[in-house]
Amino acid sequence: MVAERGEPRARHAPPAPGLRDAAGGRLAYPVWVGAGALDRLGPVVAAAAPAHRYAIVTDETVAARHGARAAAALAPHVDAAPLIIAVPPGEAHKTRDTWARVTDELLAAGYGRDTTIVALGGGVVGDLAGFVAATYLRGVPVVQAPSTLLAMVDASVGGKTAVDTPAGKNLVGAFHPPAAVLVDPTLLGTLPPADLAAGAAEALKHGVIADARHFGDAAALLPALASGAAAGDPAVLDGLARVVADSVAIKAAVVAEDPREHGRRKTLNLGHTVGHAVELAAGYRIRHGEAVALGMVAECDIAERVGLAEPGTAARVRAACRAGGLPTALPAGITPDAVLAATRGDKKARGGRVEYALPARVGAMVEADGRWAVPVDDAVVLGVLAALRAPDAESAP
Ligand SMILES: NC(=O)c1ccc[n+]([C@@H]2O[C@H](COP(=O)([O-])OP(=O)(O)OC[C@H]3O[C@@H](n4cnc5c(N)ncnc54)[C@H](O)[C@@H]3O)[C@@H](O)[C@H]2O)c1
Ligand SMILES: [Zn+2]
């Protein structure tokens, strides 16, 4: 369960020196952040979600790089060796078919209700394994061990789990808060620069939503991430760890106030109404974080056009994305009409009009009478998208 507003703060004993709860006790579960955190997987799981049997759900890429380390960290603390289930990597596999495959493997191995699932991977694995955990025998605990920057700053925290369907992203899922989250920034040493930059887009988002200083920190780090300097440079890794902890704190504060997205949690959707539509229209050929960067630029443009955002807001976000190599134009061949049509299938559509969470400026979102999302006319959205066409799209039929 997530702590509701007004509940006493949760207290969690650190499983090792050097690890701190980046959620600051705002959530009912700890978010342990620190170099080497993955090596504490055993004690963390034993404290937060002790079970008879354990399964590590991951993808093939992450399994090859970090699977053995996770299993070794768990082994001394559990009776039987954990089952490792590795799915093919990528958003294309965040589906009901993969959910069924993982579930069937657990059933075939005789896993009962006294099972804990460890989700080791990026946001795709976190959402998928989380949804398996939410539904397996009506629900078993999940511990999130994110391995991408995107999953560390965003996807692993907050309890949303889901799979995609042909009609759109995340359309089948459940709220299933983790028993604990274990964030080890050293795992980012093997993550390709483009995935690091994509993850930073969600950190920028947290900055736009709530904290201009955090926006500046993430923007300052982006060029180094995109250039591949992160792997070897301890200063960059240090900066990353700080950005991760600050992003988690922002997200935890929002989620603690509104766990089920009736109000303020809608602000975390900044960039995602257009972003999800672009992902769907592009057949998931671009990274989620890249789509969010483009979506954020579009939605900041929308906010300025309807007079809700301070002039210059979109320019700041656009400049930060550009400096980090994140897209600020629609992918080639994707038309504004196709994106607009895809926004209508998103969960944010209400009464025939699509609602947007919009910024007032970098560091604050628009709120009117306790509502955090506003309906926007299609014509405004289409105008903004038309201005974001890829340069080569003009000649497309
Ligand atoms: N539940 C939420 O609140 C929430 C929030 C944001 C995003 N998401 C979801 O997260 C997903 C995107 O997550 P993502 O960007 O992490 O994508 P991803 O999980 O597909 O990971 C990106 C790629 O990096 C590889 N990888 C992962 N960790 C690695 C490592 N340490 N070293 C080398 N390679 C590694 C993966 O195999 C994959 O190919 C989307 O499906 C999105 O909807 C969910
Ligand atoms: Zn996202």
Side-chain angles (χ1 to χ4, degrees):
M1 282 292 294
V2 173
E4 302 286 342
R5 200 204 305 233
E7 267 184 28
R9 287 175 149 222
R11 296 256 181 272
H12 311 281
L19 295 189
R20 67 181 189 92
D21 180 5
R26 291 182 188 90
L27 302 175
Y29 49 91
V31 183
W32 300 120
V33 178
L38 186 63
D39 301 315
R40 309 302 300 168
L41 182 61
V44 165
V45 167
H52 175 51
R53 298 180 81 180
Y54 299 86
I56 298 176
V57 178
T58 183
D59 73 29
E60 287 156 3
T61 305
V62 178
R65 287 160 180 73
H66 305 291
R69 188 174 153 205
L74 202 51
H77 300 267
V78 301
D79 295 336
L83 180 65
I84 299 186
I85 302 178
V87 303
E91 185 78 31
H93 299 281
K94 198 178 110 177
T95 59
R96 287 169 290 188
D97 281 351
T98 315
W99 167 84
R101 201 201 108 188
V102 174
T103 300
D104 288 348
E105 263 194 62
L106 290 167
L107 291 170
Y111 275 56
R113 299 192 65 168
D114 199 3
T115 292
T116 289
I117 291 177
V118 175
L120 174 69
V124 164
V125 162
D127 280 8
L128 173 79
F131 187 49
V132 169
T135 49
Y136 192 70
L137 305 178
R138 298 201 181 85
V140 298
V142 64
V143 169
Q144 294 282 352
S147 68
T148 63
L149 181 57
L150 188 138
M152 291 179 188
V153 299
D154 198 346
S156 62
V157 176
K160 280 190 182 178
T161 73
V163 293
D164 305 331
T165 83
K169 262 184 74 86
N170 299 334
L171 294 183
V172 177
F175 283 99
H176 190 57
V181 184
L182 199 55
V183 179
D184 186 343
T186 67
L187 269 56
L188 300 176
T190 58
L191 193 67
D195 286 298
L196 283 169
E202 301 271 21
L204 287 177
K205 178 192 79 176
H206 291 143
V208 175
I209 289 168
D211 184 346
R213 188 195 52 79
H214 180 59
F215 177 86
D217 289 348
L221 212 52
L222 242 167
L225 299 181
S227 73
D233 185 343
V236 175
L237 271 177
D238 251 25
L240 260 177
R242 226 180 17 258
V243 163
V244 168
D246 290 349
S247 256
V248 167
I250 291 170
K251 181 159 184 185
V254 174
V255 169
E257 184 179 317
D258 176 23
R260 296 248 163 188
E261 199 172 308
H262 300 303
R264 191 173 165 216
R265 189 167 182 173
K266 291 183 183 177
T267 60
L268 294 173
N269 292 327
L270 173 66
H272 283 66
T273 307
V274 169
H276 282 167
V278 170
E279 281 186 275
L280 179 61
Y284 301 108
R285 277 183 289 111
I286 68 170
R287 290 175 179 81
H288 174 72
E290 292 170 347
V292 168
L294 170 57
M296 221 166 15
V297 167
E299 294 176 18
C300 289
D301 280 339
I302 290 171
E304 286 195 32
R305 278 205 195 187
V306 298
L308 288 172
E310 220 171 81
T313 303
R316 264 181 92 181
V317 173
R318 190 177 257 107
C321 292
R322 277 208 182 120
L326 290 166
T328 56
L330 292 176
I334 303 299
T335 65
D337 283 321
V339 176
L340 182 72
T343 61
R344 297 213 186 81
D346 202 79
K347 296 184 293 302
K348 273 88 78 182
R350 191 181 167 130
R353 287 180 93 196
V354 178
E355 295 198 321
Y356 288 80
L358 296 174
R361 59 181 174 277
V362 170
M365 295 292 280
V366 171
E367 184 206 1
D369 305 326
R371 290 170 54 82
W372 293 90
V374 289
V376 176
D377 284 338
D378 280 357
V380 172
V381 178
L382 202 56
V384 163
L385 292 172
L388 295 177
R389 276 182 91 119
D392 63 340
E394 299 301 334
S395 55

